[in-house]
Amino acid sequence: MLTKIAGGDIIDPVNGRLGQGDLWIRDDKIVGAPAGGAADRTIDAAGCIVMAGAIDIHSHIGGGNVNTARLLLPEQHAAHQARPAATPLSNAGWSTFQTGCLYAKMGFTTVVEPAMSPGAALHTHLELADIPIIDKATLAILGNDDFLLSMIRDDAPSTMIEDYVAWTVASTRALGVKVINAGAAAAFKENVRTFSLDDVVPSYGVSSRKIVKTLQAAVDSLGVPHPLHVHCNNLGSPGSADTAASTIAAAEGLPLHLAHLQFYGYGTEGKRKFSSAAARLAELVNTTPEVTIDIGQVMFGQTVTISSDVMRQFSARGSASPKKSVIHDGDGNGGGIVPYSYGKDFYGTMQWAIGLELFLLIDDPWRVFFTTDHPNGAPFTAYPALFALLMSREARNEMIAGLSKSAMALSTLAAIEREYTFEEIAIMTRAAPAKLLGLTDRGHLGAGAIADIAIYRRNGNIAKMLGQAAYVFKDGDLVVQDGEITHYRWGKALRLNPSPDKAMVRRLEDYHQQRYGLSLDWFNFPDSAIAREQPFGEVACRT
Amino acid sequence: MAVAWIGNRETLVERAAAHAAALLGSSRCPVFSLDTDIHGTRAAIALAERVGAAYDHADGAALSRETALFTDKGAMTVAPGETRRRADVVVIVGELPQVHHEFVGELAGTVPDLSAKNQREFFLVGPNGASAPPLNNGRAATLLSCGEASLGATLAALRAQYRGRQTSQPVSNFDDFAKALEVARFPVFLFSGDATDGLALEMLQGLIADLNRTSRASGLHLPASKNGWGSALASTWMTGFPLRTGFARGFPDFDPWRYDVARMIAAGEADLHLRISSSIVQPQKKRHRMALIALAKTQKPIAGAAVTIAIGEAGVDHEAVFYSSRTGSLRSVDARAASELPSAATVIRLVASHVSAEAALPC
Ligand SMILES: [Zn+2]
């Protein structure tokens, strides 16, 4: 089928296409204007902007910890209306089905779950397979697992470490690798309560820095397109900006991605010993080209924090609201679930302002990524409001008027004039994520790209405009019209598929037999276990 | 081989499914009880939404105690693999279901390789005369009891004594326990909702929290039913809620009292019962005014059922995904003796295809 999207304002920074024009789709792909071709279907996009489908690189949408959070908080996500006919189960509050529908309505077509515990890969992929419409991907967590820490301790050759990382990525069907408070979860099992970049995991004698550097090098030499995704030590602590600064410095010329930098943007100034270090971190990011970051913006209201940083979550238990939490010591990281409400008090205001300062003070939209670390800083449903804050100084000032004055006095936010343009939004939420993840088939509107397209009707109200897309296409299927789901379909989980080294597989088989009393096939699964047609889409490694 | 019946009359699966769909379509208050794998659960919940049914596990009471621990209080838990590799003190809390005895035996036959201590000690919390699952190597668990006191009361006394408080009745062998804790690096408490009530589970978590003030400890959840816990996980991602959820109002509504399916049947609220059991078939008391649709591994119609459709056993007749209490996550299992019998999921989807509705099912 040939579709013509007629007369919209095309915003496609990758192909340098900006301005009014037509966009053509044949079946599931974008094509050049066909010579004399008559469209089977024409979408009138006059008065609309036309962008590639958005890509979220860091949103906790499925897997063991996310599901435990749902289980812990039935009172937080009750549904209150019967379902619209076309969208089975999509009215269920905070379900897989609702996740896909809500993302699609905003024009997001690919979302990365950034914290898949390798042992829970099947569970994670089953959940992701029940998220309709959009494509998904996962990052596999390494860096607190005994197998890796033992190899580092024993000075294993780097090729052996690469074989292990490759096996993990392949067997868990991941798109990349994440390390979360490297070594801290292992140390916490030995009753260590705080852990920094140069602290050493007891029993292994391996520092957090060494783990990060080892994984960074392995990911790079394997040609995994996405750089090592790092959740630094000391998340949320006053003074954590020092940790983030040390980690940025540790990139040392190789690509490194730092997740949710806002949660490390904290200095120790002022009478509360809690201040903004955003300007300092932004400057470091600006001058360190091999580093990319996402924000983890805080927005006000009730949410729940879900993290595989079990040590941090354990120490945050006291702030749980409502007063209940789950702390799990897993095979590698485990995790913690702590419900939390961000208030407009000093601390909440400070966190909110620090996130926005980072967004606005980091110059290059190709290296700063749009996230709330869903749901840790805020649920992803806060995205439209966040777009408005980035694109309008006036919207920020209106908000600031209702916030803690003492916090704002310590922030430069009110003085920042920058407003994101639609082109910068298209880079930050489309072009740059595709590049960062190695997805050449999306994030742009050039011929040959998959037809993931978001069309927004221009409106002075940015939140409304970007919150309810006029039209969304996923793989050429029209899935959203006027902000409502019109067609239900299933996306894929994007994965790498490096071939595992046979000697490593034998080693792992022995290891699992000896240490767990189980053969390796207890942890493996065939694609058929997902019970959907073509649940995975393969992405190539760099050669 | 016959695989479907309407009443006692043999029929085609297609026709039995259509009849089941008609019964579901005209039911005022349909209820489902599940004892099936992840994919059977997914299909059943999708059907429940379509027909406005409530669903529960076949042994809903034990599962509900386990889910309530999480929905109401939260917990500190540890993975089974870490328990094997790290637990230097293992405390068995009350009676554990038979299915977990092998793992407990295995813990006794191995040492924690990630612990500096390299050995394990075993304790058992329970009333006088309680017995632990058989431990390997002729080892025994030290009994921590308060005479005939309940498990909850014993755990409360244990917690109080650990905090140095007076208790009306001291816990037997407490000094041994205290001594073990003093040098323990990672004590793990094994618990299940099978024979343990909610208060006891909560008290246990209180004790674990106390221990974590200065050292480490956690609890290993050994579910009363692997199918039950697996269904709870799938239900939670699909609807936001564990079992005992109903769609009577058109959206998922979680109410562990109201949607207790055994209660709904006993109280005469339910007029149609869809029972999905891909493993065992339990006889059921005939209830007037309530129709039964039985999906079971059977070669004959289930007594009293309006419709019976034979299904295979998950993991035996067809591949399956289960919760594994050995890995603490979901596990894919090949068919052990593949057969032609359809899976629960296949039959449920067939029934659903006969229920009139405008949109395709998601599962
Ligand atoms: Zn995160």
Side-chain angles (χ1 to χ4, degrees):
Chain A
M1 181 158 91
L2 190 62
T3 302
K4 178 185 181 184
I5 297 167
D9 286 337
I10 311 261
I11 303 177
D12 180 15
V14 172
N15 297 295
R17 203 174 159 199
L18 299 165
Q20 209 174 28
D22 300 335
L23 187 68
W24 292 80
I25 308 171
R26 190 183 296 280
D27 301 326
D28 58 345
K29 295 275 182 353
I30 293 172
V31 292
D40 303 304
R41 166 174 64 179
T42 300
I43 302 283
D44 178 10
C48 296
I49 64 166
V50 180
M51 300 198 275
I55 301 170
D56 190 340
I57 66 154
H58 190 121
S59 173
H60 299 271
I61 52 171
N65 286 336
V66 174
N67 214 36
T68 303
R70 295 185 183 107
L71 185 59
L72 181 69
L73 294 160
E75 68 275 32
Q76 301 286 326
H77 50 92
H80 297 291
Q81 46 184 308
R83 71 187 169 94
T87 57
L89 279 159
S90 63
N91 68 321
W94 195 17
S95 64
T96 49
F97 300 95
Q98 194 198 41
T99 299
C101 292
L102 291 177
Y103 260 116
K105 287 177 187 184
M106 299 189 299
F108 279 73
T109 46
T110 304
V111 178
V112 178
E113 157 56 57
M116 174 172 67
S117 168
L122 174 57
H123 177 158
T124 305
H125 283 298
L126 282 163
E127 280 197 35
L128 297 187
D130 275 348
I131 294 177
I133 302 173
I134 61 174
D135 286 338
K136 290 82 52 171
T138 62
L139 305 180
I141 306 169
L142 287 172
N144 279 290
D145 48 313
D146 168 61
F147 195 84
L148 179 70
L149 298 188
S150 300
M151 280 197 295
I152 298 176
R153 176 196 57 206
D154 301 340
D155 279 322
S158 56
T159 49
M160 192 184 279
I161 287 168
E162 286 158 27
D163 287 342
Y164 173 59
V165 173
W167 173 83
T168 304
V169 166
S171 67
T172 63
R173 280 86 158 166
L175 188 65
V177 180
K178 184 184 191 193
V179 61
I180 298 173
N181 200 351
F188 180 55
K189 287 168 182 163
E190 302 197 51
N191 204 30
V192 174
R193 304 284 165 120
T194 63
F195 202 70
S196 261
L197 191 60
D198 290 305
D199 287 340
V200 163
V201 189
S203 301
Y204 297 96
V206 172
S207 72
S208 191
R209 180 190 297 273
K210 176 85 177 164
I211 300 168
V212 171
K213 292 301 292 177
T214 302
L215 284 170
Q216 180 196 28
V219 164
D220 189 63
S221 21
L222 285 167
V224 172
H226 184 48
L228 179 66
H229 197 104
V230 184
H231 166 131
C232 301
N233 324 90
N234 294 321
L235 182 143
S237 318
S240 53
D242 292 341
T243 308
S246 308
T247 311
I248 290 170
E252 297 172 313
L254 280 188
L256 200 66
H257 180 84
L258 268 60
H260 37 68
L261 193 61
Q262 177 278 131
F263 285 110
Y264 305 92
Y266 311 146
T268 53
E269 283 156 35
K271 68 169 194 260
R272 292 182 180 85
K273 306 272 180 252
F274 189 74
S275 57
S276 170
R280 175 189 168 203
L281 291 183
E283 187 50 33
L284 283 175
V285 173
N286 285 337
T287 53
T288 316
E290 67 272 31
V291 163
T292 52
I293 66 107
D294 65 87
I295 300 291
Q297 176 67 33
V298 158
M299 301 288 267
F300 301 108
Q302 175 72 47
T303 190
V304 53
T305 64
I306 301 174
S307 178
S308 304
D309 187 346
V310 61
M311 178 186 278
R312 190 270 164 189
Q313 294 297 77
F314 177 80
S315 69
R317 279 189 314 163
S319 65
S321 168
K323 291 219 156 304
K324 50 184 177 178
S325 62
V326 172
I327 301 295
H328 181 69
D329 287 290
D331 289 319
N333 271 73
I337 320 298
V338 181
Y340 190 76
S341 179
Y342 290 103
K344 295 179 177 175
D345 56 4
F346 175 83
Y347 294 97
T349 299
M350 207 72 239
Q351 291 181 292
W352 175 85
I354 288 167
L356 290 173
E357 284 178 296
L358 288 171
F359 266 121
L360 296 164
L361 295 174
I362 295 175
D363 300 326
D364 183 359
W366 286 90
R367 292 200 290 121
V368 55
F369 293 84
F370 181 89
T371 68
T372 57
D373 190 15
H374 162 81
N376 290 312
F380 68 82
T381 47
Y383 284 0
L386 179 54
F387 281 125
L389 294 172
L390 295 179
M391 298 184 75
S392 159
R393 187 180 183 197
E394 194 187 322
R396 293 198 292 271
N397 286 340
E398 262 173 44
M399 195 67 196
I400 287 169
L403 301 179
S404 157
K405 298 237 168 354
S406 49
M408 288 315 302
L410 294 174
S411 164
T412 61
L413 180 63
I416 302 176
E417 290 177 14
R418 182 175 172 194
E419 295 181 335
Y420 269 77
T421 63
F422 278 116
E423 189 183 349
E424 287 175 318
I425 295 288
I427 292 169
M428 180 168 63
T429 58
R430 276 83 171 164
K435 182 177 170 215
L436 187 73
L437 298 166
L439 307 176
T440 51
D441 64 353
R442 65 195 73 198
H444 66 93
L445 298 173
I450 56 170
D452 287 6
I453 300 165
I455 302 169
Y456 305 97
R457 184 153 285 119
R458 282 193 187 274
N459 186 321
N461 182 336
I462 293 163
K464 185 152 190 281
M465 174 178 168
L466 297 181
Q468 294 166 288
Y471 301 94
V472 178
F473 289 88
K474 176 74 193 93
D475 287 322
D477 289 343
L478 180 59
V479 291
V480 171
Q481 268 189 72
D482 295 326
E484 294 301 331
I485 304 296
T486 51
H487 176 64
Y488 218 58
R489 65 186 297 284
W490 300 103
K492 290 183 166 67
L494 307 173
R495 60 166 298 191
L496 304 176
N497 199 3
S499 35
D501 174 74
K502 290 204 178 72
M504 178 50 66
V505 173
R506 274 196 303 276
R507 229 177 121 90
L508 284 161
E509 177 64 46
D510 288 349
Y511 175 81
H512 283 82
Q513 291 279 8
Q514 273 178 31
R515 308 303 174 101
Y516 295 97
L518 300 172
S519 74
L520 201 52
D521 58 54
W522 279 68
F523 303 90
N524 286 334
F525 59 93
D527 285 3
S528 60
I530 307 298
R532 285 207 190 276
E533 264 173 57
Q534 295 190 313
F536 298 106
E538 220 167 291
V539 174
C541 281
R542 258 190 349 255
T543 46
Chain B
M1 189 173 65
V3 290
W5 299 264
I6 293 176
N8 286 320
R9 190 166 43 80
E10 214 180 297
T11 185
L12 298 172
V13 175
E14 187 76 27
R15 224 170 266 167
H19 190 62
L23 291 174
L24 285 164
S26 59
S27 164
R28 201 177 26 76
C29 182
V31 295
F32 297 0
S33 50
L34 318 180
D35 186 10
T36 181
D37 80 330
I38 296 297
H39 293 304
T41 302
R42 291 173 62 249
I45 292 173
L47 177 64
E49 187 203 27
R50 172 138 326 157
V51 301
Y55 58 92
D56 193 357
H57 181 58
D59 177 14
L63 178 63
S64 153
R65 286 191 286 273
E66 291 173 350
T67 52
L69 174 65
F70 289 91
T71 56
D72 298 355
K73 301 289 171 189
M76 287 188 75
T77 54
V78 60
E82 280 298 300
T83 302
R84 181 181 149 118
R85 301 194 61 183
R86 211 174 276 277
D88 46 7
V89 169
V90 171
V91 186
I92 300 158
V93 179
E95 297 234 352
L96 294 176
Q98 186 72 38
V99 32
H100 301 301
H101 289 193
E102 192 186 327
F103 179 60
V104 177
E106 197 183 312
L107 290 177
T110 51
V111 296
D113 70 301
L114 293 179
S115 168
K117 265 184 69 191
N118 251 269
Q119 58 180 36
R120 285 193 234 275
E121 264 186 273
F122 286 80
F123 292 89
L124 169 68
V125 185
N128 273 345
S131 64
L135 306 180
N136 287 3
N137 302 347
R139 308 184 56 182
T142 306
L143 183 67
L144 301 168
S145 82
C146 287
E148 300 307 309
S150 71
L151 195 55
T154 310
L155 286 162
L158 202 56
R159 191 179 175 193
Q161 270 186 276
Y162 173 73
R163 291 173 139 196
R165 295 201 186 132
Q166 288 293 330
T167 52
S168 54
Q169 189 179 7
V171 178
S172 66
N173 302 312
F174 178 78
D175 291 348
D176 292 343
F177 184 58
K179 224 176 286 165
L181 287 183
E182 231 164 74
V183 292
R185 309 296 294 271
F186 207 102
V188 173
F189 296 77
L190 312 184
F191 69 93
S192 162
D194 188 41
T196 308
D197 65 33
L199 277 175
L201 292 175
E202 197 184 323
M203 194 53 73
L204 170 63
Q205 285 298 329
L207 174 60
I208 293 172
D210 289 348
L211 289 168
N212 275 286
R213 282 167 204 267
T214 53
S215 58
R216 291 306 323 276
S218 195
L220 173 61
H221 176 206
L222 295 171
S225 155
K226 74 174 176 183
N227 278 346
W229 194 249
S231 291
L233 294 180
S235 176
T236 300
W237 82 61
M238 291 177 70
T239 68
F241 306 116
L243 303 196
R244 297 195 170 173
T245 289
F247 285 99
R249 296 198 279 165
F251 53 82
D253 186 14
F254 169 60
D255 188 330
W257 180 83
R258 195 209 290 204
Y259 299 120
D260 170 350
V261 161
R263 186 201 66 76
M264 293 174 83
I265 292 172
E269 291 171 22
D271 62 356
L272 178 65
H273 184 197
L274 170 61
R275 215 178 66 192
I276 302 157
S277 171
S278 52
S279 44
I280 14 151
V281 183
Q282 290 148 335
Q284 201 188 11
K285 212 168 86 190
K286 172 101 182 90
R287 295 210 174 255
H288 294 288
R289 298 186 300 117
M290 190 189 72
L292 173 66
I293 300 169
L295 309 189
K297 188 170 182 179
T298 180
Q299 294 174 337
K300 55 185 200 317
I302 301 294
V307 178
T308 303
I309 302 177
I311 56 174
E313 183 176 346
V316 176
D317 296 280
H318 55 84
E319 68 170 330
V321 176
F322 290 118
Y323 180 78
S324 161
S325 56
R326 216 36 197 75
T327 65
S329 187
L330 301 182
R331 182 192 173 206
S332 160
V333 181
D334 285 339
R336 222 180 319 136
S339 81
E340 298 281 286
L341 285 171
S343 67
T346 306
V347 172
I348 295 164
R349 280 195 294 265
L350 185 63
V351 172
S353 72
H354 288 278
V355 175
S356 62
E358 53 294 338
L361 278 187
C363 298

